[in-house]
Amino acid sequence: MKRTLLLFLLVFAAFTVFAQTALSGKVIDIDNDKDPLPFATVQIFKDGAFYQGATTDLDGNYYFSNIDPGTYDIQVDYTGYPPTKLTGIPVKAGQTNFADVEVSGEGGVNLDVIVVKGFKVPLIEQDNTTSGQTVTSEQIRNLPTRNINQIASITAGAASADEGGAINIRGSRSNATDYYVDGVRVSSTSIPDSEIEQLQVITGGVEARYGDVTGGIISITTKGPSNTFNVNAEAETSEGLDAYGNSLVGMSVNGPILRSKKNGNSILGYRFSGRYTYREDDSPSGVPLFRAKDEVIAALEAEPIAIRNRQPFVGADFLTQDDVEAIKTRPFEASDNLNLNGKIDARLSNAIDVSLTGAFGQGSNQFTPANWRLLNAQRNPTSNNQNYRGNFRFRHRLGGSGVADGDGAAKSVIQNASYTLQFTLENIISDVSDPIHGDNFFDYGHVGTFDVDYIPVYDFRFDTTSQSLQPFQIDYREILRS
């Protein structure tokens, strides 16, 4: 019985101290020699909605454990002081983030005034033992790329050879980089850049929770529902402007489904997004490309064998410069991608929240193997892929939010203890097919059906027994019927 109880306590402790994302700091009075303010009410807000609350201890310290990465606002309320709000605090995944709040009571209390201050990102991050970089959604929006690997490559120690190519971290192979989405390791990332709240790249000092990693970590936190209804749409195309036909269309919808009657905050919200991209040539060449003219290819397909001096030769061996033309766009190199993402968050109470996330991705990419472009581009194979992922998370903060609906009354003496249950399902399907044969596997390598007669061929040899020439079969002669 004692061993069972000890095991339970160890498992419980593992749940509560496991590499949580946290926000901590101190509330101080800048008018009184920066004295700490004990028992002040501290609330954090995300996207304008109340997220969690706590009270400061005797030394003015507050602590929020097991929160989602993202950008938060802090509001401090204390008797005799005007409410103070600190905005734009970036909370990075897997570490304790620090933000001190300075309040001032000079001039008395004016209930109609709220002091708002912008958060200044410190030059040195406390409690950060890893090397790398965290890119926020605002920074991603300002970058001239939409590819996840290309975004991650702005981190020192990470490199990607080209747009959309594999990423290498500190010289390791590309397959040594692990990807995480909302805390779960995934095999495929079909998330548009517009749906990323944070993208964290870890190049060194990898924490034990990630396991045995020989390269690096790319951890993505997706955006969640907003407290207000929002619709965002985007569209762009280069059709008519260049030969590459780069087009994109996307849309996202998010907002609340149910609101609390008491404070108006969302208790059930949603976020759905979709993006479709199409490129006629997904990797334009910087030099001219060459391909045989259409009429030349048609003639070779009709008569692939050329007879010279009664000897058969490959017809393509007799091509001249006049049979080839320079082209700007690689032919039969089109690619397209469809990405759908959805998230539903439910706040069952200030202590319990549930999140259901789903993602679907489907794409095709026609590519040129070896030296097919000159004569065989029309038969370029197509790489098809499809993936879907579902994730369910249940999170329980023991002791609730630390405050009762923001009124400053503590609900429980237990704070900063929590556990999370998470379940994920992921499936990936991929194949490569010929544009004509498709899934008809028995058509590959099939030249045709022939009606052939096999006629025996005889020769003669001298039989020493009979002392005469005797016929014997040496081969078959194949005769193809017309």
Side-chain angles (χ1 to χ4, degrees):
M1 182 65 183
K2 292 182 178 179
R3 292 181 179 179
T4 303
L5 180 60
L6 179 59
L7 178 61
F8 173 79
L9 292 176
L10 289 175
V11 172
F12 179 78
F15 272 119
T16 57
V17 303
F18 177 74
Q20 296 177 354
T21 301
L23 177 61
S24 179
K26 178 177 288 190
V27 179
I28 56 179
D29 185 355
I30 59 174
D31 298 328
N32 295 308
D33 298 327
K34 295 187 176 181
D35 290 338
L37 294 181
F39 309 114
T41 300
V42 183
Q43 302 175 74
I44 56 175
F45 296 81
K46 187 177 183 182
D47 296 327
F50 172 78
Y51 188 84
Q52 197 174 342
T55 55
T56 58
D57 58 17
L58 292 174
D59 297 320
N61 298 309
Y62 69 88
Y63 186 84
F64 296 99
S65 66
N66 199 5
I67 61 177
D68 294 327
T71 302
Y72 290 84
D73 299 333
I74 293 180
Q75 180 171 318
V76 175
D77 296 281
Y78 194 76
T79 303
Y81 293 77
T84 301
K85 180 174 288 188
L86 189 62
T87 60
I89 304 170
V91 174
K92 300 178 181 179
Q95 66 185 65
T96 300
N97 303 263
F98 294 90
D100 294 339
V101 183
E102 298 179 345
V103 299
S104 173
E106 185 177 355
V109 178
N110 188 338
L111 298 180
D112 297 329
V113 174
I114 298 178
V115 180
V116 179
K117 301 179 181 180
F119 179 76
K120 295 182 179 180
V121 179
L123 295 177
I124 299 177
E125 297 181 359
Q126 302 181 49
D127 194 41
N128 184 14
T129 59
T130 63
S131 60
Q133 184 176 349
T134 299
V135 187
T136 64
S137 59
E138 183 177 355
Q139 294 172 318
I140 293 174
R141 186 170 59 250
N142 296 329
L143 289 173
T145 182
R146 297 181 180 275
N147 183 266
I148 290 177
N149 286 344
Q150 203 68 21
I151 295 172
S153 67
I154 68 175
T155 303
S160 180
D162 53 16
E163 179 77 18
I167 190 169
N168 306 92
I169 296 181
R170 290 197 170 182
S172 63
R173 296 180 182 270
S174 58
N175 57 8
T177 300
D178 292 343
Y179 293 82
Y180 285 76
V181 175
D182 292 332
V184 178
R185 183 177 177 179
V186 298
S187 301
S188 177
T189 54
S190 57
I191 300 174
D193 60 289
S194 59
E195 294 303 301
I196 298 177
E197 179 72 33
Q198 277 189 8
L199 187 147
Q200 183 184 27
V201 183
I202 301 176
T203 59
V206 180
E207 300 173 63
R209 67 189 179 111
Y210 290 114
D212 185 14
V213 180
T214 58
I217 298 293
I218 296 179
S219 180
I220 298 171
T221 302
T222 59
K223 293 181 179 179
S226 174
N227 198 40
T228 58
F229 178 76
N230 293 283
V231 177
N232 296 296
E234 57 179 342
E236 64 179 36
T237 183
S238 66
E239 293 287 350
L241 302 176
D242 57 35
Y244 312 123
N246 191 355
S247 301
L248 176 150
V249 61
M251 185 175 183
S252 66
V253 181
N254 69 93
I257 299 176
L258 293 176
R259 292 180 179 271
S260 171
K261 295 181 179 180
K262 192 169 186 178
N263 52 29
N265 290 327
S266 173
I267 57 177
L268 180 63
Y270 66 93
R271 184 180 187 93
F272 300 107
S273 68
R275 174 182 287 182
Y276 175 78
T277 59
Y278 172 82
R279 291 180 290 183
E280 187 174 342
D281 185 354
D282 57 1
S283 183
S285 174
V287 296
L289 305 170
F290 297 93
R291 183 172 184 259
K293 297 177 180 178
D294 292 338
E295 59 271 19
V296 174
I297 295 176
L300 288 173
E301 289 178 344
E303 297 183 10
I305 304 299
I307 305 299
R308 299 291 187 272
N309 297 326
R310 298 184 179 181
Q311 296 295 323
F313 294 91
V314 177
D317 291 343
F318 298 93
L319 293 179
T320 65
Q321 186 174 352
D322 294 335
D323 298 324
V324 179
E325 61 182 352
I327 55 179
K328 294 182 179 180
T329 305
R330 299 183 305 165
F332 302 97
E333 282 277 352
S335 66
D336 69 301
N337 282 282
L338 173 65
N339 295 319
L340 302 174
N341 291 271
K343 177 182 282 189
I344 296 178
D345 286 350
R347 193 178 183 89
L348 305 182
S349 69
N350 286 337
I352 300 175
D353 60 78
V354 175
S355 180
L356 179 63
T357 306
F360 174 82
Q362 179 175 286
S364 64
N365 181 28
Q366 198 169 12
F367 62 94
T368 303
N371 299 316
W372 286 27
R373 183 177 299 115
L374 182 65
L375 296 170
N376 200 39
Q378 67 277 11
R379 296 298 293 267
N380 280 352
T382 301
S383 173
N384 303 292
N385 65 83
Q386 185 181 98
N387 65 85
Y388 58 85
R389 182 178 64 255
N391 181 49
F392 173 81
R393 186 191 68 186
F394 175 88
R395 181 169 54 189
H396 183 199
R397 301 179 184 87
L398 304 180
S401 66
V403 295
D405 301 322
D407 61 4
K411 278 187 174 182
S412 172
V413 295
I414 301 176
Q415 295 187 38
N416 305 326
S418 62
Y419 65 91
T420 301
L421 302 177
Q422 195 154 265
F423 306 92
T424 301
L425 172 67
E426 183 180 27
N427 188 41
I428 299 176
I429 303 172
S430 62
D431 64 75
V432 178
S433 62
D434 180 274
I436 296 178
H437 297 327
D439 293 335
N440 300 318
F441 303 117
F442 292 100
D443 288 349
Y444 289 88
H446 180 70
V447 177
T449 302
F450 303 93
D451 191 0
V452 180
D453 283 339
Y454 295 93
I455 302 176
V457 178
Y458 293 92
D459 199 354
F460 293 88
R461 64 185 174 186
F462 184 77
D463 185 14
T464 57
T465 303
S466 62
Q467 296 295 310
S468 63
L469 293 175
Q470 298 293 329
F472 71 97
Q473 182 177 332
I474 60 173
D475 202 353
Y476 284 97
R477 183 175 59 177
E478 298 180 6
I479 297 179
L480 178 64
R481 294 180 180 176
S482 58

